[in-house]
Amino acid sequence: MGTLTASLVVPSKLKPEKQSSIFIYKTRRKSNKNQSIVPVARLFGPAIFEASKLKVLFLGVDEKKHPGKLPRTYTLTHSDVTSKLTLAISQTINNSQLQGWYNKLQRDEVVAEWKKVKGKMSLHVHCHISGGHFLLDLFARLRYYIFCKELPVVLKAFVHGDENLLNNYPELQEALVWVYFHSNIQEFNKVECWGPLKEAASPSSSGGVGGKMRNTNTTSNSNWDLPQPCQESCSCCFPPMSLIPWPSDDISGTDGEPIQGLQEQQS
């Protein structure tokens, strides 16, 4: 993921300098000595995954252990300096990737966890749209658009980085992907089902936002209802609590109705 706070004014007559996964960086000469670097949103064209730009860190996980038995999370961050992605695969979110003022300013990380709910596996992905400081609120609509557009690349990074696990357990490719968009603006504070992982992570020529047909009506397919864990201790749900420490604000479900906050939902 790239920088998700863009300039309000897009400069003209710029020459390309370097490109990240979301933004093209261009320069404009003010003098012979000084140049200004301005991030310009790449809002058009396909989102492309480049395996050569992905660095994968395995932290205390075993590719032979099914995520329905051993916790497994993904923490994906992007460097605007190197244009490379870093994916940590671990039992809990890799907080060391999320430290520093720059990361707290941009909030362009994507975190995810595998869950078994009533015997069915699913992948739960979390994106921060707005809230925290005014820049995120100002560009909430743009951030939502960009996250949707780039999510297939993110999911492809998960699949590529954890390919040994998916080769050992190919049924995980059929697991539904649930995307949680967190925002202090109700319009963007919601959950969407992006369908089976193998489809959500594949390129699409449909041209829509994110290139996917995302479920927004739970009555259309009962298998796409947001999975709710058992209220009492059981063996069919794992892990018993969410591994992602997100604030427990109300968030809209696929039918537009509020659902419990993430922490409360898993307790």
Side-chain angles (χ1 to χ4, degrees):
M1 305 295 290
T3 304
L4 286 173
T5 51
S7 298
L8 284 174
V9 179
V10 178
S12 60
K13 298 181 181 180
L14 301 179
K15 295 182 180 181
E17 179 73 13
K18 63 179 181 178
Q19 177 174 321
S20 71
S21 66
I22 294 181
F23 287 88
I24 299 174
Y25 282 79
K26 301 182 179 181
T27 61
R28 175 174 57 189
R29 293 184 180 274
K30 290 185 177 180
S31 65
N32 293 333
K33 295 182 179 180
N34 299 323
Q35 291 182 335
S36 62
I37 300 177
V38 182
V40 180
R42 191 183 73 189
L43 298 180
F44 305 101
I48 301 172
F49 170 72
E50 298 180 61
S52 62
K53 292 186 176 181
L54 177 66
K55 177 182 179 181
V56 183
L57 306 173
F58 290 92
L59 306 174
V61 293
D62 185 345
E63 64 190 28
K64 297 181 180 179
K65 292 284 188 178
H66 192 280
K69 298 180 179 179
L70 183 70
R72 200 174 195 89
T73 69
Y74 302 128
T75 308
L76 186 73
T77 53
H78 172 267
S79 171
D80 289 322
V81 176
T82 64
S83 296
K84 292 187 177 182
L85 298 169
T86 299
L87 172 65
I89 302 175
S90 54
Q91 294 187 38
T92 59
I93 298 303
N94 185 29
N95 288 317
S96 63
Q97 282 180 252
L98 311 179
Q99 302 302 313
W101 67 268
Y102 185 80
N103 288 328
K104 293 179 180 179
L105 174 68
Q106 301 297 337
R107 293 306 307 270
D108 59 357
E109 76 278 358
V110 178
V111 297
E113 64 178 325
W114 282 102
K115 290 183 182 179
K116 181 176 71 171
V117 181
K118 296 179 180 176
K120 291 185 177 181
M121 295 300 301
S122 52
L123 182 63
H124 297 252
V125 183
H126 298 264
C127 309
H128 185 91
I129 303 299
S130 63
H133 59 78
F134 78 97
L135 285 177
L136 300 183
D137 300 345
L138 183 63
F139 294 107
R141 185 174 299 277
L142 176 63
R143 286 173 61 83
Y144 174 76
Y145 178 92
I146 295 176
F147 269 118
C148 288
K149 181 177 181 293
E150 295 291 327
L151 267 171
V153 173
V154 171
L155 297 173
K156 184 64 177 179
F158 293 165
V159 171
H160 181 83
D162 216 5
E163 60 181 343
N164 287 336
L165 175 78
L166 295 172
N167 288 336
N168 290 335
Y169 303 101
E171 69 276 9
L172 292 176
Q173 293 274 16
E174 302 293 336
L176 291 181
V177 177
W178 291 92
V179 183
Y180 297 71
F181 296 99
H182 298 268
S183 175
N184 59 347
I185 301 173
Q186 188 63 34
E187 179 183 358
F188 309 116
N189 192 54
K190 55 187 174 180
V191 184
E192 295 179 348
C193 183
W194 281 50
L197 176 59
K198 67 178 182 181
E199 297 178 10
S202 64
S204 173
S205 59
S206 64
V209 175
K212 302 297 170 187
M213 293 297 293
R214 303 189 302 280
N215 181 56
T216 58
N217 185 354
T218 57
T219 60
S220 63
N221 189 333
S222 61
N223 291 328
W224 282 23
D225 290 343
L226 184 66
Q228 299 291 340
C230 297
Q231 297 299 314
E232 300 178 356
S233 298
C234 66
S235 60
C236 63
C237 299
F238 183 86
M241 296 184 65
S242 175
L243 303 172
I244 298 176
W246 220 284
S248 56
D249 297 325
D250 283 345
I251 189 168
S252 297
T254 52
D255 57 357
E257 294 298 323
I259 62 175
Q260 289 178 299
L262 298 182
Q263 296 284 11
E264 299 169 350
Q265 182 178 314
Q266 299 302 325
S267 60

